Amino acid sequence: MDRIHPYPAKFTIDLALEYIQKYTCRKEVVLDPFCGSGTTLLAARQLDRQSFGFDVNHIAYLITQAKLLYLDNHDIKKLKEFYIKKGNFLQNYKAINHWFKVDSIKALSNIKASIDEFSRGNRKYKVFLSLIFSSIVNVVSNQESDTRYASVNKKHLNEDYVYRKFTEKLFQTIEIFENLAFENSIGQYVFLHNAKTLCEKIFKDSISLVLTSPPYPNTYDYYLYHKHRMLWLDFDVKFSMQNEIGSRREYSSLKLPKEKFNNDLLEVFRQCGEVLKNDSYIVLVMGDGKIQGEIYNAKDEILTLTNKLNWDLVDYSCSELDQTSRSFAQNYRTKHKKEHILTFQRVKMR
């Protein structure tokens, strides 16, 4: 499933399966307040757990919705019948011609209009086809890559190339869904919602495990690298930008102090504490960052925050981030940073 749409800095489904199996039983509820591309929710589904996921990025929300789709034989047959109509609609937004060749704009506009017409009144088809569309947007743009927001000249781009990339990805993804053995995903819920107020969506004392990977501070701008996907799909870029925490925009451009990031994390952790059962577990996967020239040691900072909560550290491991990260080119990685896995248990109020 992870091959369908790019999404940087996600943890593996094997890791999610391991911790969900270790700390929960069937039918219990798992929460991921920074769900990203939905790995935690997908693992929970495989293990017959219920789950809740939150994210403020529209593309993360789209990917997670798509991963949880149940497509029956009729749906598969209908999606195989999708075809692209050529028309006069042309997408337009500020600087679109800087980021896309005319041929790419024409082809993407035709695909977008065809998706809107084909999926009218059917949410599943809209989500599925929008996922395919989103997955090729950056590939057929002038954007260098998903981790380099720079315009470059891609000489191979033309209308036929865009149509071919979409069609290839469409049938590859249909084949993946044809081979899935999942039943309907009753019990998996994802919200485009800031986890600082997740109690608005979840009952107190209902969660058996929080499994999440908070943003690595000052490492990535999710809103920025997904910006053109959001603009093409008519999503609210500003919402994602303003609600994202830990972004390079905040800590490289605006030069905010690390305390701002820690306070944001603490708000989310407090909300998690409200919905967790007593004696339940929290697994945090988080990498070090660099803020204002100083290494942000994620382990030390998280332990400082959790001292303010009733969370006891029960397990810890780490690895060299440079060895585990594959999202960023070698030249753009900071050396000597670690990725930490911290496991806590929520204890009763003392």
Side-chain angles (χ1 to χ4, degrees):
M1 294 287 277
D2 282 339
R3 291 177 294 149
I4 298 172
H5 195 295
Y7 201 87
K10 53 182 176 281
F11 54 64
T12 67
I13 193 161
D14 289 341
L15 183 147
L17 291 167
E18 175 187 344
Y19 284 102
I20 292 172
Q21 203 153 32
K22 184 175 182 178
Y23 291 119
T24 65
C25 299
R26 289 180 66 250
K27 304 301 182 183
E28 289 190 320
V29 188
V30 180
L31 166 65
D32 189 342
F34 303 103
C35 72
S37 63
T39 302
T40 297
L41 279 72
L42 186 63
R45 181 186 186 184
Q46 289 187 27
L47 294 172
D48 197 21
R49 275 67 164 171
Q50 299 180 65
S51 60
F52 291 94
F54 290 78
D55 212 285
V56 297
N57 187 282
H58 285 273
I59 301 304
Y61 179 59
L62 173 65
I63 297 170
T64 303
Q65 287 182 96
K67 282 185 176 180
L68 299 176
L69 282 178
Y70 172 69
L71 300 177
D72 59 25
N73 291 336
H74 172 74
D75 295 325
I76 296 293
K77 181 181 177 182
K78 288 294 293 181
L79 287 165
K80 286 180 177 178
E81 295 171 0
F82 175 80
Y83 65 96
I84 301 163
K85 296 180 180 179
K86 296 186 179 182
N88 297 319
F89 165 73
L90 285 178
Q91 180 79 343
N92 189 32
Y93 58 81
K94 186 178 179 180
I96 192 172
N97 291 105
H98 175 72
W99 291 101
F100 293 86
K101 294 182 184 295
V102 172
D103 275 9
S104 291
I105 295 172
K106 288 179 181 177
L108 287 172
S109 296
N110 285 330
I111 297 169
K112 180 178 187 291
S114 299
I115 290 172
D116 289 344
E117 181 178 337
F118 181 87
S119 62
R120 190 169 291 122
N122 190 308
R123 188 194 72 87
K124 287 198 295 186
Y125 297 173
K126 179 74 169 182
V127 168
F128 183 88
L129 292 170
S130 294
L131 177 77
I132 310 305
F133 181 84
S134 176
S135 74
I136 71 160
V137 166
N138 285 359
V139 174
V140 303
S141 75
N142 300 331
Q143 185 172 319
E144 184 174 343
S145 72
D146 275 298
T147 55
R148 285 282 292 152
Y149 193 72
S151 179
V152 297
N153 183 23
K154 300 178 183 178
K155 295 180 180 179
H156 62 279
L157 293 178
N158 57 50
E159 280 192 69
D160 287 342
Y161 178 84
V162 178
Y163 293 135
R164 186 168 69 253
K165 295 301 288 186
F166 179 86
T167 303
E168 287 172 356
K169 182 55 71 76
L170 173 63
F171 283 95
Q172 287 169 2
T173 307
I174 287 174
E175 183 178 0
I176 290 170
F177 273 80
E178 279 184 303
N179 294 323
L180 291 177
F182 297 144
E183 297 296 327
N184 206 349
S185 58
I186 296 173
Q188 271 68 47
Y189 305 95
V190 58
F191 300 99
L192 182 69
H193 187 92
N194 195 320
K196 292 178 181 179
T197 56
L198 63 80
C199 285
E200 294 176 0
K201 303 291 184 181
I202 305 178
F203 291 118
K204 291 187 177 183
D205 304 317
S206 63
I207 301 298
S208 298
L209 171 67
V210 170
L211 172 58
T212 194
S213 181
Y216 299 5
N218 199 24
T219 300
Y220 198 76
D221 285 310
Y222 285 93
Y223 84 90
L224 182 63
Y225 293 100
H226 293 305
K227 181 178 181 178
H228 296 293
R229 294 181 172 119
M230 288 192 272
L231 288 170
W232 272 96
L233 289 165
D234 304 319
F235 293 152
D236 185 352
V237 178
K238 190 174 181 180
F239 169 84
S240 294
M241 179 185 75
Q242 292 179 338
N243 284 279
E244 183 176 332
I245 73 169
S247 66
R248 287 182 60 79
R249 168 183 165 270
E250 289 182 298
Y251 298 100
S252 286
S253 300
L254 299 179
K255 308 291 186 187
L256 298 180
K258 73 174 184 180
E259 287 75 20
K260 168 66 166 62
F261 180 63
N262 286 344
N263 289 336
D264 286 337
L265 283 181
L266 187 58
E267 282 190 68
V268 175
F269 292 168
R270 288 193 191 282
Q271 289 281 295
C272 290
E274 289 292 317
V275 299
L276 278 164
K277 298 176 180 177
N278 285 327
D279 301 321
S280 54
Y281 292 89
I282 306 98
V283 179
L284 305 177
V285 182
M286 188 167 169
D288 296 336
K290 197 170 188 179
I291 298 179
Q292 296 187 8
E294 299 292 327
I295 292 292
Y296 178 98
N297 185 303
K299 178 190 176 185
D300 291 348
E301 299 292 344
I302 286 177
L303 289 176
T304 299
L305 295 179
T306 54
N307 280 339
K308 302 175 183 179
L309 309 166
N310 293 298
W311 296 5
D312 285 349
L313 184 69
V314 295
D315 195 20
Y316 169 74
S317 64
C318 70
S319 58
E320 294 294 327
L321 192 55
D322 191 56
Q323 300 299 314
T324 58
S325 175
R326 295 292 180 267
S327 296
F328 301 96
Q330 196 79 23
N331 294 341
Y332 295 97
R333 300 181 199 164
T334 300
K335 306 294 182 183
H336 312 303
K337 293 196 295 186
K338 290 183 170 60
E339 185 173 68
H340 311 269
I341 303 179
L342 300 100
T343 303
F344 299 90
Q345 186 172 26
R346 181 186 186 273
V347 296
K348 294 180 181 179
M349 296 289 290
R350 297 184 179 90

